[in-house]
Amino acid sequence: MRHRIAVIGGGPAGLTFARVLHRHDHPVTVLERDPAPDARPPGGTLDLHERMGQLALDKAGLLAEFQALSRPEGQAMRILDADGTVLRDWQPRPGDLANPEIDRGQLRDLLLGPLDVRWGRGVTEVVPGTRDGVLVRFADGRQETFDLVVGADGAWSRVRPALSSATPHYTGITMVETSLDDVDTRHPDLARLIGDGSMAVYGVNRNLVAQRNSGGHVKVYAQFRAPLDWHTNLDRRAGLDLDDAEDVRSSLLALFDGWAAPVLDLLRHGTAFVHRPLYVLPVPHTWSHVPGVTLLGDAAHLMPPLGVGANLAMLEGAELAESVAAAPGPADLDEAVRAFEEQMCARAGRWAKITTAGLERLVSPDPTQALALFDEVQPS
Ligand SMILES: Cc1cc2nc3c(=O)[nH]c(=O)nc-3n(C[C@H](O)[C@H](O)[C@H](O)COP(=O)(O)OP(=O)(O)OC[C@H]3O[C@@H](n4cnc5c(N)ncnc54)[C@H](O)[C@@H]3O)c2cc1C
């Protein structure tokens, strides 16, 4: 029996779900709010773990293509002191494919492949339990019904209210992202400082992380503890214009004042700045099962960005797709979704605790906590 299935959101969770169903010859409708795949910058690089993101790609039949695209050398990790002293310098061993990096845009295109995504279809509401199934309402006024609606629509999910009243809350830690292009030719000293993978500097309640993407593109993240409205009540004057790159740059340079000049060059040479306050969902986030609707990825368990969110999202997408494809009738479909939710919520809850504790150590009053965390998790 072919169930009428829709997935809301074409991020790592939704596309992996759809691609694995596609591999099982099961039709699926992918509904994405963005008007086109490249409607906005795709974001920084992702490291896909062997037993999570890579396992999901294997279930989609895409592991070999991933290996051809990904950057194993991107697993390199260097930690500097605020004065520029190199404290740690981990390099991957030859043939190490545990956590290779891939640009988000490359991953999206890999997953998209033959999928027929309906772009520009923002969902506003999902209503379970109607006579014809689960009703999906769109921003343009249209509506459609399905047997199963999968909410893979990220942190501010419009599907989640059909299951749960939880909403994300601010962690007390915010992030400003900037980037550098053609780093090897334009900023060769910075290129050497960053190396092939990531470079990080941890200070008191703040850190700076630079991550190499493909093609000489580098993403820089400044993380710090601050109230959500920190930019409106700075001491120096009434407020900061987050859309004014020079204003944000000088504010960040003041915040990281005293750090080594080459480290601050990451901010000096950054182009646009994007403010990304870190929000999370309650831990654990669970709900009473509602027939016909479920969640995947950030919509289900938004957690601090410590290298797990996309991996879990993809693994969940692949697992749910396999269960759904194997369910012959409506009762089996509902049982498959219920069992999936139980397993997903338990596993995500464990990771949410780990990443929440990790974030506290990475943006800590005691910067040695960050180093100690890396010493625990990096292969020796
Ligand atoms: C700075 C940063 C770095 C990170 N680094 C890593 C990392 O290295 N490794 C890792 O595993 N994770 C990382 N993460 C976490 C990771 O980005 C997320 O966990 C992951 O993207 C979640 O995937 P998703 O598909 O659930 O949601 P999303 O990626 O948010 O995708 C949701 C999709 O749904 C669409 N959508 C939203 N609302 C609607 C709507 N109403 N109707 C239709 N479509 C809608 C959106 O346009 C989007 O395409 C990082 C996060 C941040 C912020």
Side-chain angles (χ1 to χ4, degrees):
M1 178 171 176
R2 290 288 179 251
H3 313 290
R4 296 173 301 159
I5 296 175
V7 59
I8 317 299
L15 290 183
T16 309
F17 173 72
R19 194 65 200 264
V20 173
L21 272 184
H22 183 270
R23 193 179 190 205
H24 286 269
D25 290 324
H26 197 300
V28 55
T29 305
V30 187
L31 300 157
E32 165 57 49
R33 184 179 54 190
D34 284 348
D38 54 359
R40 58 191 165 95
T45 179
L46 291 171
D47 62 317
L48 295 193
H49 308 181
E50 220 161 11
R51 297 196 185 157
M52 299 176 89
Q54 290 188 58
L55 178 56
L57 288 172
D58 196 20
K59 289 176 185 291
L62 296 171
L63 190 57
E65 283 176 68
F66 165 75
Q67 285 168 345
L69 285 169
S70 64
R71 290 172 280 110
E73 70 280 10
Q75 296 171 100
M77 178 74 208
R78 183 175 289 162
I79 299 183
L80 272 60
D81 212 347
D83 68 6
T85 311
V86 176
L87 300 175
R88 299 286 189 277
D89 193 2
W90 288 282
Q91 296 297 327
R93 295 203 181 91
D96 181 352
L97 295 177
N99 305 296
E101 297 277 343
I102 186 165
D103 288 7
R104 280 176 197 253
Q106 291 176 321
L107 178 64
R108 178 200 60 212
D109 292 346
L110 176 63
L111 288 168
L112 274 176
L115 294 178
D116 184 16
V117 174
R118 294 202 216 156
W119 301 98
R121 300 298 303 274
V123 167
T124 54
E125 193 188 11
V126 167
V127 184
T130 75
R131 219 164 36 131
D132 191 34
V134 183
L135 179 73
V136 176
R137 290 205 171 99
F138 298 97
D140 60 10
R142 281 185 274 184
Q143 54 187 47
E144 207 169 337
T145 46
F146 298 91
D147 299 318
L148 175 66
V149 173
V150 177
D153 51 342
W156 304 100
S157 172
R158 302 300 288 263
V159 181
R160 193 169 51 226
L163 299 165
S164 157
S165 59
T167 50
H169 61 268
Y170 180 52
T171 55
I173 296 171
T174 193
M175 177 190 278
V176 179
E177 175 191 309
T178 188
S179 51
L180 291 82
D181 284 312
D182 296 329
V183 72
D184 300 290
T185 43
R186 286 200 214 167
H187 311 290
D189 292 344
L190 277 183
R192 275 190 292 278
L193 188 74
I194 297 162
D196 289 334
S198 298
M199 185 222 78
V201 188
Y202 295 94
V204 175
N205 285 331
R206 66 205 63 187
N207 67 49
L208 266 182
V209 178
Q211 282 187 323
R212 189 183 272 271
N213 294 232
S214 66
H217 184 77
V218 168
K219 284 260 182 286
V220 179
Y221 304 99
Q223 281 184 323
F224 48 97
R225 283 182 192 272
L228 195 52
D229 61 353
W230 64 277
H231 47 94
T232 62
N233 60 8
L234 294 174
D235 290 343
R236 60 191 173 96
R237 60 192 151 75
L240 165 70
D241 179 359
L242 287 171
D243 295 324
D244 181 339
E246 287 317 314
D247 214 11
V248 179
R249 189 194 322 280
S250 63
S251 169
L252 290 178
L253 287 170
L255 184 68
F256 290 90
D257 186 35
W259 287 32
V263 173
L264 294 185
D265 279 347
L266 293 168
L267 300 172
R268 288 199 185 96
H269 297 303
T271 48
F273 291 82
V274 185
H275 186 215
R276 296 192 192 282
L278 300 183
Y279 283 84
V280 291
L281 277 168
V283 180
H285 177 223
T286 55
W287 56 88
S288 300
H289 175 71
V290 174
V293 190
T294 194
L295 302 174
L296 291 177
D298 281 6
H301 47 65
L302 180 66
M303 60 183 77
L306 267 78
V308 181
N311 277 279
L312 268 181
M314 293 173 68
L315 183 57
E316 291 161 3
E319 288 174 346
L320 180 62
E322 286 187 337
S323 302
V324 163
D332 309 289
L333 177 66
D334 192 49
E335 199 36 56
V337 174
R338 192 189 288 269
F340 162 79
E341 286 173 342
E342 212 167 288
Q343 190 198 337
M344 170 182 69
C345 290
R347 181 174 55 199
R350 289 194 294 275
W351 278 110
K353 278 190 194 143
I354 293 169
T355 54
T356 301
L359 183 67
E360 288 301 311
R361 295 175 77 185
L362 293 182
V363 192
S364 161
D366 173 9
T368 64
Q369 282 296 316
L371 199 58
L373 176 62
F374 276 96
D375 284 340
E376 287 165 25
V377 300
Q378 283 291 124
S380 49

